Amino acid sequence: MKRYFEFEEWGTGYRQESMAGLTTFLAMAYILFVNPSILSEAGMDEGAIFTATALSAAVGTLIMGLIAKYPIALAPGMGLNAFFTYTVVLTMGIPWQIALFSVFVSGVIFIFITLFGIREKVINAIPSQLKYAAAAGIGLYIAFIGFQNTGIVVADESTMVALGDMTQQTTVLACFGLLVTVVLMVLGFQGGIFYGMVITAAAGMLFGVISLPDAVVGSVPSLAPTFGTAFTFLGELEWSAQMAGQIAIVVLTFLFVDFFDTAGTLYGVANQAGFVKNNKLPRAGRALLADSSATSIGAVLGTSTTTAYIESTSGVAAGARTGFASLVTGVLFLLSLFFSPLLTVVTDEVTGPALIIVGVLMASSLRLIEWDKLEMALPAFLTVVAMPMTYSIATGIALGFIFYPITMVLKGKGRDIHPIMYALFFVFIIYFAFLGA
């Protein structure tokens, strides 16, 4: 085991890697409750989503640890789950079963383009500025959803959005949760987001805002309501050219969103750990294969796209340097399957503060953007602001990738642009044409 994970080369050991793996798990354990909360709004069974979330996180993280040997954990992605529910299902009107099928197809496509090295080449061709912008934009998008779900921000006919009723019990509880989580995070508590949710839920139960759970430990919820529905539902559809075209657009959208969201997160974590050399990640193909495989498996189980988690940086900060830390995190996700009764106390007021804080963490990449260079700043800015303003991650990414070649050519730096970026310029133009059709 020591030789396989090269403990001596990285100056680490079992204890250090185990504690780091535990730290990563605590930092991202909130997804076990936040993901069911978000996806259930699409009409899916909350218990089944909980089980699918834990299993897909465990499988993806174990694959990452064993094959890529990186201390990077995976789980259904924040932002991607919101895109699944609020854009694809609730806005576009696509049944959640078809959305799951689209996630599966995107995962299979990713597996093939990863095996042929295409995905790695494209990711390496993307300028780091746009990667940072994508991560930050997703952070703002997630935070906006958190503010909405807690009632801190509400719809307004005159200004589109406005401050909500801050005297409502649920909103007050959410604000308390946000304050507690901020205190824990600022003081450096590992797993501050998770513990903030625990304290918020406890306060909600204490003051009667949240009902008490029937139990803490229970049987593993059945996957029956979601398992395989991505395929069984297809036989019930009345197929038409319009339906096929609609599904194709959804698959294409998931491809775009997951492709670049994963790139930003994966490279962000790897960069902090010191794995990135010359803007390239060694064994990137293996890491991307773990992500692609977990996405397809997760879709079969019944959850949205599985991806690398930025919270893995907490484990890296705690000393994680090898894939053994990922093995520890994966096993802990399997053990978490028995705590499903706690889903009843994890309400929007409990998960909202977590969404906001995750948004803050992801937005930290803004500091890495070269704001003094307008040819870089403009496409990066459009990427960041378009995501929350259009309620679409894909739109933000598309705008950034369209304006980047334009500003670089105008600056006389057209030769500095990778040919793949020129190709993506036209791809995203076509993407917008499909949306308008």
Side-chain angles (χ1 to χ4, degrees), residues 149-171:
N149 290 350
T150 55
I152 297 176
V153 171
V154 296
D156 184 270
E157 292 184 2
S158 301
T159 60
M160 302 297 290
V161 293
L163 186 66
D165 184 358
M166 303 303 289
T167 62
Q168 285 190 0
Q169 284 187 325
T170 52
T171 306

Side-chain angles (χ1 to χ4, degrees), residues 400-437:
F401 277 62
I402 288 174
F403 275 89
Y404 174 75
I406 295 175
T407 56
M408 289 291 285
V409 169
L410 291 175
K411 190 66 176 179
K413 298 181 178 180
R415 293 183 178 180
D416 296 338
I417 303 175
H418 196 286
I420 290 178
M421 292 303 295
Y422 281 116
L424 289 174
F425 169 83
F426 292 104
V427 169
F428 279 111
I429 291 291
I430 296 173
Y431 169 74
F432 275 120
F434 267 109
L435 287 182

Side-chain angles (χ1 to χ4, degrees), residues 95-395:
W96 61 264
Q97 296 92 337
I98 298 302
L100 281 179
F101 175 74
S102 301
V103 171
F104 174 80
V105 173
S106 69
V108 171
I109 294 174
F110 277 144
I111 291 174
F112 279 104
I113 65 177
T114 298
L115 290 175
F116 287 102
I118 299 174
R119 191 179 184 189
E120 186 174 352
K121 290 179 181 178
V122 173
I123 289 178
N124 287 333
I126 302 171
S128 57
Q129 302 295 305
L130 291 182
K131 293 176 184 175
Y132 300 143
I138 293 170
L140 294 184
Y141 177 63
I142 292 172
F144 185 53
I145 292 172
F147 281 119
Q148 281 186 308
N149 290 350
T150 55
I152 297 176
V153 171
V154 296
D156 184 270
E157 292 184 2
S158 301
T159 60
M160 302 297 290
V161 293
L163 186 66
D165 184 358
M166 303 303 289
T167 62
Q168 285 190 0
Q169 284 187 325
T170 52
T171 306
V172 171
L173 178 62
C175 291
F176 168 77
L178 180 60
L179 177 61
V180 168
T181 307
V182 167
V183 170
L184 292 174
M185 296 291 288
V186 172
L187 293 179
F189 279 83
Q190 297 293 348
I193 295 178
F194 176 72
Y195 291 125
M197 291 176 62
V198 172
I199 294 173
T200 305
M205 289 183 286
L206 180 63
F207 291 98
V209 181
I210 298 176
S211 301
L212 293 172
D214 296 328
V216 175
V217 178
S219 59
V220 178
S222 172
L223 277 173
T226 59
F227 184 79
T229 53
F231 308 102
T232 57
F233 188 77
L234 293 177
E236 302 175 10
L237 283 177
E238 294 183 6
W239 287 92
S240 64
Q242 181 180 3
M243 175 62 70
Q246 195 175 31
I247 293 177
I249 291 175
V250 174
V251 171
L252 182 65
T253 303
F254 273 119
L255 277 171
F256 284 146
V257 176
D258 186 30
F259 199 110
F260 300 108
D261 175 47
T262 297
T265 303
L266 185 62
Y267 276 73
V269 176
N271 187 60
Q272 178 172 331
F275 299 137
V276 178
K277 306 297 181 184
N278 299 320
N279 196 36
K280 294 185 178 181
L281 177 66
R283 304 190 304 280
R286 297 183 184 182
L288 293 171
L289 182 61
D291 165 80
S292 306
S293 302
T295 290
S296 295
I297 293 171
V300 173
L301 295 173
T303 186
S304 54
T305 307
T306 302
T307 186
Y309 254 62
I310 195 68
E311 283 79 3
S312 299
T313 55
S314 64
V316 170
R321 290 296 180 272
T322 73
F324 187 81
S326 293
L327 299 189
V328 174
T329 305
V331 170
L332 290 172
F333 269 115
L334 290 176
L335 294 176
S336 68
L337 284 166
F338 300 97
F339 294 90
S340 62
L342 295 178
L343 280 171
T344 58
V345 303
V346 185
T347 61
D348 284 342
E349 298 74 45
V350 176
T351 59
L355 297 179
I356 296 170
I357 296 299
V358 170
V360 173
L361 296 176
M362 296 187 71
S364 64
S365 62
L366 286 170
R367 74 187 189 282
L368 302 173
I369 297 174
E370 299 178 66
W371 295 107
D372 57 332
K373 297 180 180 180
L374 192 59
E375 66 273 18
M376 295 287 190
L378 181 61
F381 179 78
L382 290 175
T383 299
V384 172
V385 300
M387 290 187 189
M389 287 188 176
T390 64
Y391 223 70
S392 171
I393 296 172
T395 299

